[in-house]
Amino acid sequence: EVQGDRRLLASNSDDRSNLDPKTSTIKTKPLQGANTMFYVGTEDGDLVYVDWMPQKDQDTGKMQTPKPDFYATQHDGPISYLARSPFEPSVLLVVGGWTWSIWKEGVHSGPIIESGHAQKPLTGGSWSPTRPSVFFISRADGGLEVWDLLDKTHEPVMFQSVSANALTKISLCNFSRRQIIAIGDIQGALQLFVVPRRLKTMLPQELNNFNTYIEREVKRREFVLMRWGLREQEKVEQEAENKRRAGVAPTVTLTEDELLQKEAVSSLVQVGLY
């Protein structure tokens, strides 16, 4: 093409003008029965559960994304990692700020497991591809924590100092009967380690034990919430009883029927019929 020659552009424009939008446009339809709900982590530490499929607004008639079904401010920093378990998709690992948490899809009252406040900010994480109960957590001080929920939940089963800089990425893969973990830091350095055999090989009945443990934690949280509700109710009743004994009349809110009856009685008193 010679500079200033417009024939090539003209030919391209002619080709574009000959395109038939009816034949070139591919009409796509949503998959029937597909799950369109997903979780999102925000920079404010919020966990959001939303449906990405647009729905028709009853007021305006326009298609728009619905409001989130659930959101919670659980972490004290940006969410740096959020992923479903490769063995149980309804279980999620969320890392953000100074803590990590385990969530169960459908349980929106809070996490079923939550870590304590870490010594350093957490920068990421990764599920183990071969063990359901094991996951890895990276820290801002260059340390790597390995957690096993079936062994300990109050502290990691292993800690490794990897770099003097903050870790930014963790990736695991199996290679020639070995499991390799690749760890990158904020300076762009990449280091490879061999995962120990005890953290790689699945234990007998580990998946069943992991699912049983998750279900037990879900029931435990439901029981704790129920006990909290009972304690709040007992507290209100105790305060009302203390006021009654002290001679202080509690504030009573009348219902609509009681208000109507009170007005009717007042009107009868005014005309002298009551």
Side-chain angles (χ1 to χ4, degrees):
E1 178 186 0
V2 180
Q3 185 175 2
D5 188 357
R6 313 297 295 179
R7 289 178 297 176
L8 182 60
L9 296 178
S11 62
N12 290 338
S13 62
D14 294 339
D15 294 339
R16 290 194 298 268
S17 63
N18 293 330
L19 292 177
D20 186 0
K22 295 182 180 180
T23 58
S24 61
T25 302
I26 301 177
K27 296 182 179 180
T28 59
K29 296 182 179 180
L31 296 177
Q32 298 296 330
N35 184 13
T36 59
M37 304 297 296
F38 68 101
Y39 285 91
V40 178
T42 70
E43 293 184 351
D44 296 328
D46 299 334
L47 181 64
V48 184
Y49 189 59
V50 66
D51 187 356
W52 64 267
M53 182 63 67
Q55 298 179 4
K56 187 175 182 180
D57 186 24
Q58 297 180 356
D59 297 332
T60 62
K62 297 181 179 179
M63 299 297 293
Q64 60 182 9
T65 303
K67 295 181 179 180
D69 289 4
F70 157 79
Y71 77 93
T73 303
Q74 190 67 34
H75 294 267
D76 52 0
I79 302 297
S80 56
Y81 179 79
L82 190 159
R84 297 178 182 269
S85 168
F87 297 91
E88 181 55 52
S90 62
V91 178
L92 297 97
L93 171 62
V94 183
V95 181
W98 299 70
T99 60
W100 58 262
S101 57
I102 301 291
W103 294 74
K104 174 72 173 179
E105 188 170 11
V107 180
H108 293 159
S109 59
I112 58 176
I113 306 172
E114 184 180 8
S115 70
H117 201 270
Q119 298 178 357
K120 298 292 181 179
L122 308 181
T123 59
S126 179
W127 286 101
S128 170
T130 55
R131 288 199 57 186
S133 62
V134 174
F135 56 88
F136 301 81
I137 300 294
S138 60
R139 305 197 325 189
D141 62 348
L144 179 70
E145 298 178 353
V146 185
W147 291 78
D148 186 351
L149 296 179
L150 296 181
D151 189 359
K152 300 177 182 179
T153 57
H154 64 284
E155 63 179 2
V157 296
M158 180 179 175
F159 176 81
Q160 177 67 43
S161 180
V162 178
S163 173
N165 304 306
L167 304 181
T168 56
K169 182 63 177 177
I170 304 174
S171 181
L172 293 101
C173 66
N174 295 323
F175 178 75
S176 183
R177 297 185 180 180
R178 293 183 178 181
Q179 189 173 93
I180 306 298
I181 179 171
I183 307 173
D185 64 20
I186 197 171
Q187 296 296 330
L190 176 65
Q191 300 187 54
L192 303 179
F193 297 89
V194 177
V195 178
R197 182 180 179 85
R198 66 185 182 90
L199 298 176
K200 179 192 69 172
T201 306
M202 183 184 298
L203 302 177
Q205 300 297 321
E206 180 175 350
L207 181 57
N208 293 334
N209 294 336
F210 175 73
N211 291 330
T212 302
Y213 172 74
I214 294 298
E215 294 300 328
R216 185 169 65 248
E217 290 300 313
V218 171
K219 294 180 181 179
R220 181 190 64 82
R221 180 164 186 82
E222 293 176 353
F223 175 77
V224 170
L225 292 177
M226 181 192 67
R227 296 297 298 176
W228 283 353
L230 292 177
R231 289 290 180 264
E232 290 295 329
Q233 183 178 359
E234 292 175 357
K235 182 179 179 180
V236 172
E237 294 176 354
Q238 185 64 37
E239 291 178 353
E241 180 66 18
N242 294 338
K243 290 181 179 180
R244 187 187 65 80
R245 292 181 178 180
V248 179
T251 303
V252 179
T253 303
L254 300 179
T255 63
E256 294 183 0
D257 295 336
E258 292 174 343
L259 290 174
L260 293 176
Q261 184 178 3
K262 184 178 180 180
E263 292 177 359
V265 172
S266 299
S267 61
L268 292 176
V269 170
Q270 291 178 0
V271 297
L273 298 177
Y274 192 79

